[in-house]
Amino acid sequence: MNTADQYLKTIYVVQKQEDGPASTGSIADALDVSPASANEMIGKLEERDLAEHEKYKGVRLTDDGIVRARDALQTYCIIERFLANVLGVEEFREEAHELEAVIDDTVADRLDTIIDRQPECPDCFDPETDACACLDIATVSADSD
């Protein structure tokens, strides 16, 4: 997953949280980047017709942007569930954030066969916990005790 996909995923999640356009500040905060960096990438996403930015209102994804964002979110959930449920990695969120930038579709598809992804994915993602709701977090916590 490339940087553009990480932004698309973040915009998608923030849009759902804010129930409307995603503010640049929220996007920057979620990605731990400066607002200027977020604005620059949002401009690139607009050029690719993946997002629409209205000054002082926020960013909305286009239909194509939503498709790519959902794919990126699904890949993130796959990585997260593999790390937590299969490998028992305690710091699975941090690892998933690091790995999402380098895992390609082929690897994600192969990991998907191991985790038995739920049909509701990526709608299973819970932005409050920054985790897939299908995670077996109790198992991860018990394994790390």
Side-chain angles (χ1 to χ4, degrees):
M1 180 185 315
N2 60 37
T3 304
D5 287 339
Q6 289 175 312
Y7 270 85
L8 290 169
K9 178 188 80 152
T10 301
I11 294 167
Y12 179 81
V13 170
V14 171
Q15 268 186 210
K16 287 182 79 168
Q17 284 179 301
E18 296 182 357
D19 196 25
S23 71
T24 304
S26 296
I27 296 165
D29 288 346
L31 290 167
D32 197 26
V33 299
S34 71
S37 293
N39 269 325
E40 183 179 339
M41 179 54 81
I42 290 165
K44 290 177 183 178
L45 295 174
E46 274 192 294
E47 289 171 8
R48 298 178 196 165
D49 294 323
L50 296 171
E52 297 168 344
H53 182 236
E54 191 174 339
K55 201 170 190 172
Y56 305 114
K57 299 244 180 182
V59 182
R60 285 190 183 275
L61 295 178
T62 64
D63 289 344
D64 288 343
I66 290 170
V67 168
R68 284 214 18 209
R70 288 179 59 81
D71 287 346
L73 187 55
Q74 183 171 294
T75 297
Y76 178 75
C77 284
I78 289 168
I79 295 166
E80 207 176 48
R81 289 183 61 208
F82 177 77
L83 290 169
N85 297 353
V86 177
L87 298 181
V89 174
E90 189 173 337
E91 302 296 327
F92 63 90
R93 284 184 189 91
E94 293 81 5
E95 291 291 332
H97 282 291
E98 293 292 323
L99 289 172
E100 73 177 321
V102 296
I103 296 287
D104 67 13
D105 291 339
T106 302
V107 173
D109 289 343
R110 290 182 182 167
L111 292 176
D112 189 17
T113 64
I114 296 169
I115 65 161
D116 190 29
R117 179 173 38 92
Q118 303 300 309
E120 63 269 16
C121 190
D123 294 322
C124 55
F125 186 77
D126 179 10
E128 295 300 317
T129 62
D130 188 31
C132 174
C134 298
L135 275 170
D136 189 359
I137 296 176
T139 301
V140 174
S141 298
D143 289 345
S144 62
D145 290 340

